[in-house]
Amino acid sequence: MRFGHFDDDRREYVIDTPTTPYPWINYLGSESFFGLISNTAGGYCFYRDARFRRLTRYRYNNVPVDEGGRYFYIKDGSDTWTPSFRPMKKALDRYECRHGMGYTKIASSRGGVGVESLFFVPLGHRCEVHQVTVKNESAGPKSVKLFSFVEFCLWNALDDQTNFQRNFNTGEVEVEGSTIYHVTEYRERRDHYAFYHVNAPLAGFDTDRHSFLGLYNSFGEAQVPLSGEPRNTMASGWHPIASHCLQVDLAPGESKTYVFVLGYADNPVAQSSSRPMGAEKWSAPGVVNKAPAKALIEAFSTPAQVAEAMGQLKANWDRLLGQYTIRSGDPKLDRMVNIWNQYQCMVTFNMSRSASYFESGIGRGMGFRDSNQDLLGFVHMVPERARERIIDIASTQFEDGGAYHQYQPLTKRGNNDVGSGFNDDPLWLILGVGAYLRETGDFAILDASVPFNNDENNKASLLEHLDRSFNHVPNNIGPNGLPLIGRADWNDCLNLNCFSETPDESFQTTGNRTGRTAESTFIAGLFVVAGKEYASILDKLGKADRAAEVRRWVAEMTVRTEDKGWDGQWFRRAYDFFGEPIGSQQCDEGKIFIEPQGMCIMGGIGIESGKAKLALDSVKEHLDTKYGIVLLWPAYTKYLVKMGEITSYPPGYKENAGIFCHNNPWVMIAETELGRADRAWDYYSKIAPAYLEDISDVHRVEPYVYAQMIAGKDAVNHGEAKNSWLTGTAAYNYVAVTQHILGIRAELDGLRIKPCLPSKFSTVQATRKLRDATFEITIKNSASGRYRLTVDGQAIDGVVVPYPAAGKTVHVVCEC
Ligand code: BGC
Ligand code: NOJ
């Protein structure tokens, strides 16, 4: 069953019911100010950090779901209703929500009044703009009241749930004209505040939540809009809100448009005497300097300014998405590749795993592993930002090559609570940097001087960081000659050095066993993938000796993996604390795992010996389901203290045999390494969201973005997805489909064009822009497994088209 449709021309998903199987959300903003918005206008916004700079309150994990947002209420005679359906849930004569690239539009009507709301974050500004058009669709005149509503919480979002006895006393607001200022804590250490403004005179306002709602009422029973009478309340402590009341009088057919600005303003205390104008904290003793807020208000005081900003937003997305586009004849593939997969990559790059409808914005910072992987799907859009991110990530690395598992976005410091010891982490840095170099050719980044553990007095070149990343594996080898796993590898829940028997402790960080026996074949595969990438970088730098050493290690690890990492029909997953194999025929449960089959073969391990083929056929036989490939089989039915969190989940969920959409693409890539296009495609189309639109009732989350997990075959709700949006799934599926199935991949020396497409795709056109050049590519596919390329009509050897001079366009035909 569907709950909407794709509008590809406008790059929108159009939702036609407010009661989707789960809130279907969108993200506003892609620079420093962000909003999350559901199809019923739920959600919140923040500046840079969802914990420390959250402007509006949101109630996670609540009843009903999705409580809190930017709500508008219409009071039309005796009828009060909310155009976004929630919170009042009054029946609407018409409803449509369009989630687009960085904006959301909700249009509805009731009783002859139509309301269209547009929500977006304008480029270069720290605010959400809400443009609301109220139209009289009836035959007679209409006199209605429009109430806005947001609830402020510009303080530590964790305190908001744990230390609210404090916040109940600190709330302060000011009202000036049509602007409501939230100045809580500004009197002391904050140099920033929030405000909500509308470009029209007010019929009244409210700033105190209890007065607006009524103490025992929900958002859907708000007494001010129900009565139609604003109370002009001034919050003092408790719960500051901002609600404007506008009197809207409309002749038949007439409409009026209002522009609301929900903004963040700061007056940073400048270090030098040459402070910029308006940068003073106070404009007079005790009077908040409102100049930056007023500048923002000025910038969005008319619909024409809004239209211009929307034009800029669209132009920006045209440019971002224009780096890699295809025309394949399959609209679902086109919309994934050209629009939604890229869009999700931008969101994961911005958010890492912090703020979604499944991540609270409080718990997790930026992951070292995650952020490097996100780069793989993002680097082609804004390489300059990828560069910055690489330096931030590398700055949290330790001298021995290990790394903090996470760091905080605001401070960029490593997170001590989680610490380090996830032994795959360092290798992802090589892949992140490798992707950046292949995209840009900017080798100068390797000379950048980058701190260890953010210590400015202890720095080394980025190249040295990569070297230490690589060496971290040879320096941490276990009894079978394979890499030690540490606290966990990619699979956070495979905790082989933590025997946790106490429910209140973390599976990852309780270091009660710090053995040097547990090994990971997944890290072995990743080491080979990263080692090959690193060696090719060293070649380019003319460092032949080091490149040869790296290749010797790669060859050695390949041999070890085929030997000690092989189980007969597939690659083993690991060796545990006692040296026993995991992911082996010998095991009662968890006999085969997906990760090493994908990653080892991505590294080329077992391709010549035929082991790769055996392993992938085993994946097909034991792990494939109608909704994707499960992580392991058979699912663990008992908690095993020596295995950790993975066995804590009921069978079929999460890492315990769920369909972890993130490592499905590794198998797709592995299948393309064997040239098996139909298999790779089958796996791709099973989990790519656009192909799941028709089963939205089963899948439940948004059909335009990937979810982290789909419940596996052992689960009660097989096929039901959870944790949409913020997942490495976005980047890796993007890599799989664009670089391996479509086969267009930036290499250090040129653009490799080596598609592995099923024969039903007979002609695919692609445009790829990079390094200031444009490749216009025609793939003529008969799935022959042989490749013949011409560049501007001239045949070339091999499948790598050299980069042309900047500014040039080349036409490539690939017959395969
Ligand atoms: C989840 C993992 C996640 C980890 C992060 C676990 O509970 O299952 O997917 O990576 O927490 O700490
Ligand atoms: C989610 C984490 O963010 C990611 O880093 C990890 O690889 C997967 N879970 C699998 O455990």
Side-chain angles (χ1 to χ4, degrees):
M1 192 195 288
R2 295 183 187 205
F3 300 87
H5 64 274
F6 287 94
D7 182 340
D8 295 332
D9 289 344
R10 298 193 195 187
R11 302 194 192 116
E12 291 172 341
Y13 192 79
V14 188
I15 302 169
D16 41 45
T17 168
T19 52
T20 41
Y22 206 68
W24 285 2
I25 74 160
N26 192 14
Y27 283 82
L28 312 177
S30 58
E31 296 168 318
S32 61
F33 192 94
F34 302 100
L36 287 75
I37 183 165
S38 70
N39 56 318
T40 54
Y44 62 102
C45 59
F46 61 93
Y47 171 60
R48 285 182 62 199
D49 187 313
R51 173 168 172 188
F52 292 112
R53 298 289 182 273
R54 189 180 299 195
L55 274 72
T56 54
R57 176 175 279 133
Y58 186 71
R59 288 163 180 75
Y60 275 104
N61 207 358
N62 225 295
V63 177
V65 293
D66 197 20
E67 282 285 274
R70 316 100 180 124
Y71 295 141
F72 292 97
Y73 298 79
I74 297 283
K75 171 77 173 164
D76 177 12
S78 59
D79 188 28
T80 308
W81 59 285
T82 40
S84 55
F85 183 67
R86 298 283 306 277
M88 290 193 75
K89 299 198 291 183
K90 290 270 182 80
L92 300 172
D93 299 332
R94 167 168 69 86
Y95 164 90
E96 181 184 85
C97 168
R98 290 179 171 262
H99 284 320
M101 305 287 104
Y103 65 88
T104 287
K105 288 179 180 168
I106 299 176
S108 63
S109 66
R110 179 178 160 97
V113 178
V115 178
E116 261 188 57
S117 322
L118 162 69
F119 304 87
F120 73 108
V121 171
L123 286 174
H125 294 280
R126 300 184 299 188
C127 63
E128 277 187 10
V129 171
H130 308 157
Q131 179 174 272
V132 180
T133 300
V134 186
K135 184 171 184 194
N136 180 357
E137 293 170 352
S138 75
K142 279 273 184 194
S143 181
V144 304
K145 280 193 176 122
L146 169 68
F147 293 87
S148 68
F149 174 84
V150 299
E151 186 178 7
F152 289 118
C153 73
L154 183 50
W155 47 63
N156 182 342
L158 184 63
D159 274 8
D160 202 53
Q161 287 159 45
T162 55
N163 193 23
F164 39 85
Q165 59 81 22
R166 172 181 158 80
N167 301 126
F168 285 177
N169 298 289
T170 55
E172 288 186 278
V173 294
E174 287 184 27
V175 180
E176 216 184 80
S178 296
T179 314
I180 298 167
Y181 293 90
H182 175 250
V183 292
T184 302
E185 294 184 348
Y186 191 81
R187 60 168 62 246
E188 28 114 352
R189 294 159 302 167
R190 291 188 188 277
D191 57 14
H192 48 263
Y193 56 87
F195 62 91
Y196 199 29
H197 167 85
V198 62
N199 66 342
L202 302 186
F205 62 86
D206 275 282
T207 71
D208 170 52
R209 193 186 82 201
H210 288 174
S211 313
F212 182 81
L213 293 181
L215 184 57
Y216 294 105
N217 294 341
S218 70
F219 294 122
E221 301 160 321
Q223 65 189 10
V224 162
L226 278 172
S227 69
E229 296 307 325
R231 300 185 179 189
N232 299 346
T233 52
M234 292 300 290
S236 174
W238 293 113
H239 303 101
I241 62 158
S243 172
H244 308 98
C245 174
L246 303 179
Q247 175 67 44
V248 188
D249 298 318
L250 298 167
E254 190 188 357
S255 63
K256 284 192 179 148
T257 297
Y258 302 96
V259 184
F260 295 80
V261 180
L262 174 59
Y264 174 91
D266 62 7
N267 294 308
V269 178
Q271 298 301 311
S272 75
S273 53
S274 57
R275 289 188 187 179
M277 279 271 294
E280 303 291 340
K281 185 163 169 168
W282 307 102
S283 52
V287 181
V288 176
N289 178 357
K290 305 201 176 68
K294 287 182 177 156
L296 203 43
I297 287 166
E298 279 291 293
F300 299 101
S301 52
T302 65
Q305 289 168 314
V306 171
E308 196 186 328
M310 279 295 285
Q312 286 167 2
L313 193 65
K314 180 175 181 309
N316 193 46
W317 278 104
D318 285 346
R319 192 177 54 75
L320 293 173
L321 300 177
Q323 303 304 105
Y324 189 138
T325 52
I326 59 161
R327 278 85 58 210
S328 71
D330 174 350
K332 292 179 182 165
L333 178 61
D334 288 5
R335 69 173 66 113
M336 285 311 318
V337 170
N338 297 341
I339 307 171
W340 291 98
N341 199 170
Q342 294 201 63
Y343 185 60
Q344 188 179 2
C345 285
M346 173 64 108
V347 171
T348 55
F349 177 81
N350 286 326
M351 298 288 125
S352 192
R353 307 295 171 267
S354 66
S356 73
Y357 267 30
F358 296 85
E359 300 276 11
S360 66
I362 294 173
R364 295 212 261 164
M366 314 284 287
F368 191 95
R369 170 201 301 139
D370 294 332
S371 298
N372 276 302
Q373 285 180 75
D374 293 344
L375 275 174
L376 307 180
F378 170 84
V379 64
H380 65 289
M381 287 189 256
V382 195
E384 315 81 64
R385 288 185 64 199
R387 189 184 209 278
E388 228 178 279
R389 179 65 60 82
I390 285 169
I391 305 291
D392 287 351
I393 299 171
S395 305
T396 65
Q397 194 175 21
F398 297 114
E399 276 179 278
D400 72 353
Y404 276 112
H405 192 49
Q406 293 169 4
Y407 69 95
Q408 292 305 323
L410 210 55
T411 60
K412 298 188 177 172
R413 301 254 152 197
N415 180 346
N416 275 318
D417 297 346
V418 189
S420 65
F422 293 73
N423 283 350
D424 64 318
D425 273 340
L427 294 170
W428 294 110
L429 180 65
I430 299 181
L431 294 188
V433 173
Y436 173 78
L437 293 174
R438 287 188 284 102
E439 182 71 27
T440 61
D442 170 25
F443 277 83
I445 192 178
L446 297 173
D447 298 328
S449 173
V450 181
F452 291 108
N453 192 7
N454 283 106
D455 177 357
E456 286 297 317
N457 298 316
N458 184 11
K459 293 173 136 186
S461 69
L462 182 62
L463 182 65
E464 179 64 27
H465 280 259
L466 296 191
D467 218 60
R468 297 195 192 188
S469 287
F470 182 80
N471 283 342
H472 192 260
V473 170
N475 292 340
N476 289 283
I477 292 288
N480 290 295
L482 296 168
L484 291 171
I485 195 167
R487 291 189 198 284
D489 60 19
W490 173 89
N491 191 329
D492 284 316
C493 301
L494 198 58
N495 314 123
L496 306 180
N497 290 306
C498 165
F499 287 27
S500 178
E501 296 186 272
T502 310
D504 307 324
E505 65 194 16
S506 149
F507 290 101
Q508 281 90 21
T509 58
T510 305
N512 55 2
R513 307 267 170 129
T514 38
R516 291 184 68 88
T517 41
E519 299 165 287
S520 160
T521 49
F522 167 79
I523 300 185
L526 182 64
F527 177 71
V528 170
V529 172
K532 288 182 171 175
E533 179 106 277
Y534 186 41
S536 68
I537 294 169
L538 292 165
D539 287 344
K540 279 296 232 188
L541 297 173
K543 296 188 184 294
D545 292 350
R546 182 64 179 141
E549 262 169 51
V550 167
R551 289 202 169 95
R552 270 197 296 282
W553 257 112
V554 164
E556 175 61 28
M557 193 58 78
T558 302
V559 170
R560 291 179 189 182
T561 309
E562 289 213 30
D563 178 17
K564 300 286 185 177
W566 183 248
D567 195 62
Q569 297 294 313
W570 53 76
F571 294 101
R572 290 183 173 170
R573 178 62 175 86
Y575 286 93
D576 68 16
F577 185 82
F578 306 103
E580 297 297 324
I582 289 175
S584 160
Q585 287 284 8
Q586 299 171 30
C587 306
D588 295 335
E589 295 177 336
K591 288 174 187 288
I592 171 171
F593 280 64
I594 191 173
E595 301 101 308
Q597 325 312 329
M599 193 51 75
C600 292
I601 299 167
M602 280 165 71
I605 303 175
I607 293 188
E608 273 174 33
S609 63
K611 286 179 174 150
K613 183 171 174 302
L614 275 176
L616 290 176
D617 289 346
S618 300
V619 167
K620 177 81 193 147
E621 185 182 343
H622 301 298
L623 302 181
D624 188 29
T625 77
K626 63 178 173 175
Y627 297 126
I629 311 169
V630 295
L631 193 143
L632 60 86
W633 171 87
Y636 292 101
T637 53
K638 295 180 270 304
Y639 177 62
L640 299 173
V641 74
K642 63 174 186 170
M643 300 270 309
E645 186 170 357
I646 189 163
T647 59
S648 74
Y649 289 113
Y653 293 104
K654 295 280 287 183
E655 282 85 342
N656 186 14
I659 298 159
F660 231 85
C661 299
H662 181 155
N663 43 33
N664 278 230
W666 301 342
V667 174
M668 295 167 206
I669 298 172
E671 288 288 358
T672 66
E673 292 294 322
L674 299 192
R676 301 201 290 193
D678 290 333
R679 277 265 178 96
W681 178 259
D682 181 47
Y683 290 143
Y684 175 74
S685 55
K686 268 184 183 156
I687 64 163
Y691 294 85
L692 307 180
E693 195 190 9
D694 286 339
I695 56 157
S696 289
D697 48 331
V698 178
H699 189 73
R700 289 189 62 185
V701 296
E702 299 89 337
Y704 38 92
V705 291
Y706 286 94
Q708 181 199 55
M709 189 225 46
I710 300 172
K713 58 187 171 187
D714 308 286
V716 176
N717 301 312
H718 185 29
E720 180 186 89
K722 291 191 189 119
N723 203 352
S724 53
W725 284 98
L726 303 186
T727 159
T729 306
Y732 251 111
N733 276 281
Y734 184 71
V735 169
V737 69
T738 58
Q739 300 181 16
H740 298 275
I741 294 177
L742 290 157
I744 301 171
R745 175 178 163 95
E747 298 287 359
L748 292 177
D749 291 319
L751 194 66
R752 187 182 76 164
I753 301 176
K754 196 182 173 203
C756 188
L757 280 162
S759 51
K760 70 172 179 188
F761 291 97
S762 53
T763 310
V764 176
Q765 306 277 349
T767 303
R768 179 72 165 95
K769 297 183 187 163
L770 77 168
R771 301 191 184 204
D772 272 340
T774 303
F775 294 80
E776 292 293 352
I777 303 161
T778 305
I779 300 168
K780 296 183 176 168
N781 179 47
S782 55
S784 69
R786 288 181 303 278
Y787 297 89
R788 247 196 77 234
L789 265 63
T790 61
V791 180
D792 290 334
Q794 303 287 316
I796 63 160
D797 286 336
V799 291
V800 178
V801 182
Y803 291 119
K808 280 230 158 163
T809 297
V810 290
H811 291 86
V812 184
V813 177
C814 168
E815 287 176 75
C816 54

